[in-house]
């Protein structure tokens, strides 16, 4: 094998991620050190978090009365517990550098889990290169590699974009960092078929920030097909029980107040902070009709993905799938479906649900890029689009999210890039399970219609 072939194999063969991951994490650790050392910290919400924690430690248990410099406490109680620990560790929030070091460790941990999720899904870790390869006959082949010198330059730029995800962690200290970490821990646990661990991790993440509810439909679909409705229901109850435990100190004082603040679905967003809908104008942004359109679009997209992509492991159309949800198919069929719930399917389903939610969100703020940045490489890879388009979407998204304050153009690009990812992953997953379902679909459907036959 010549040097060129070895280099191509190194950046396109998923087996090398086993040792590439530690190398990249070590490099990123160095990058985090440089960021903390050279780039000034920017105060946004940290002091407000500390003020709210101080009130909690002072004995306040009515959620509606806990406030900080930037407004009332609007996150579930796991957020309070995490920042209570940080309150003590950082001398009541005064040791910012110490907090940045802790968030740097969190960032490296989250990045490591994301890499592990990608590896479990058999995705080449170097996605900058992997968007230039395609699967042919079980082997990885390079698509026009030698004829695309520009791709090599863009690859270096995009690799840098991927590595600077730590800025949201290190220079802002947002609670989204903990939420996105919990989400990917849950994904990884599900990929390893550690269902209870994954459910607890996901519920804890929801207890930090309700944004993770965007992935809930996908979580339910994955559990339902992997475990059957009875075991899936137990996982759902476990998630709910953890939420009760998290909220327990606040429920006796004002349970309704806790729920209304922690999971407020009617919150009025400010136009000046929106990253995604600046281009529609303030009047449209604040209108009830616009909210209804976004909610309806969200529902339609979820039904579309559910009916055409997320239940493909069963090989059943949606009406038949719904009729059989509360039935117990033969054990052989349940096992066959469960085997189809692969690490790749789990990652695709959960990240696509998250992307749909982000696309239809009433307002995205800059910290939401933590969720998007970790998902975009996989979604673009899964879409299977032309490499030039992949690079264009990735670069445009990075540039748009780095515009502050947002403009009509930048917000248009943000929405367009999310739309490309949603449409792309829907199209890219169109042939998943086709071979397996064509071989077993008829027998499987017949077994569902006659569940007493084993």
């Amino acid at each position: 094998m010549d040097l060129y072939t070895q280099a191509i194999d190194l950046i396109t063969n998923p087996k090398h991620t086993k040792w590439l991951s530690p190398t990249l994490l070590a490099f990123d650790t160095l990058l985090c050190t440089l960021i903390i050392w050279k780039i000034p910290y920017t105060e946004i919400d940290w002091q407000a978090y500390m003020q709210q924690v101080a009130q909690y430690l002072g004995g306040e248990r009515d959620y509606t009365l806990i406030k900080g410099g930037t407004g009332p406490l609007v996150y579930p109680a796991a957020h309070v517990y995490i920042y209570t620990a940080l309150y003590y560790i950082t001398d009541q929030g005064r040791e910012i550098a110490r907090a940045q070091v802790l968030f740097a460790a969190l960032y490296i941990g989250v990045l490591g889990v994301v890499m592990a999720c990608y590896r479990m899904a058999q995705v080449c870790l170097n996605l900058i290169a992997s968007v230039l390869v395609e699967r042919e006959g079980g082997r990885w082949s390079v698509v026009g590699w030698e004829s695309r010198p520009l791709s090599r330059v863009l690859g270096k730029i995009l690799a840098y974009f991927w590595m600077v995800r730590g800025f949201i962690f290190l220079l802002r200290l947002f609670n989204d960092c903990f939420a996105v970490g919990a989400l990917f821990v849950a994904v990884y646990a599900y990929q390893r078929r550690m269902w209870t661990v994954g459910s607890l991790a996901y519920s804890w993440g929801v207890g930090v920030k309700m944004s993770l509810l965007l992935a809930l439909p996908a979580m339910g679909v994955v559990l339902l097909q992997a475990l059957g409705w009875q075991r899936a229901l137990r996982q759902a109850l476990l998630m709910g029980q953890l939420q009760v435990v998290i909220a327990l100190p606040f429920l006796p004082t004002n349970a309704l107040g806790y729920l209304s603040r922690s999971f407020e679905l009617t919150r009025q967003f400010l136009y000046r902070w929106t990253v995604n809908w600046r281009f529609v104008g303030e009047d449209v942004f604040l209108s009830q009709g616009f909210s209804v359109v976004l909610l309806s679009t969200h529902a339609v997209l979820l039904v579309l993905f559910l009916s055409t992509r997320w239940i493909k492991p069963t090989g059943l159309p949606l009406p038949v799938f719904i009729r059989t949800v509360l039935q117990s198919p033969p054990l052989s069929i349940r096992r066959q479906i469960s085997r189809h719930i692969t690490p790749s399917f789990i990652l695709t389903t959960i990240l696509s649900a998250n992307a749909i939610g982000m696309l239809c969100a009433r307002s995205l703020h800059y910290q939401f890029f933590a969720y998007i940045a970790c998902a975009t490489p996989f979604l673009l890879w899964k879409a299977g689009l032309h490499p030039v388009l992949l690079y264009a979407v990735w670069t445009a998204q990075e540039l748009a999210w780095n515009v502050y304050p947002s403009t009509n153009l930048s917000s248009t690009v943000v929405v367009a890039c999310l739309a490309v990812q949603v449409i792309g992953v829907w199209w890219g997953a169109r042939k998943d399970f086709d071979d397996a379902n064509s071989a077993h679909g008829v027998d499987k459907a017949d077994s569902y219609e006659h569940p007493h036959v084993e």
Side-chain angles (χ1 to χ4, degrees), residues 201-212:
Y202 174 69
S203 185
W204 178 261
V206 172
V208 175
K209 196 165 186 177
M210 65 174 289
S211 304
L212 261 62

Side-chain angles (χ1 to χ4, degrees), residues 314-317 320 333 440-450:
T314 67
L316 298 172
V320 179
I333 297 299
H440 304 288
V442 174
D443 293 338
K444 186 188 303 181
D446 183 68
S447 296
Y448 269 105
E449 295 296 339
H450 303 87

Side-chain angles (χ1 to χ4, degrees), residues 100-116:
Q100 288 182 286
V101 171
L102 293 174
F103 272 80
L106 173 63
Y107 168 66
I108 296 300
V110 171
L111 186 58
V113 175
V114 172
M115 289 179 176

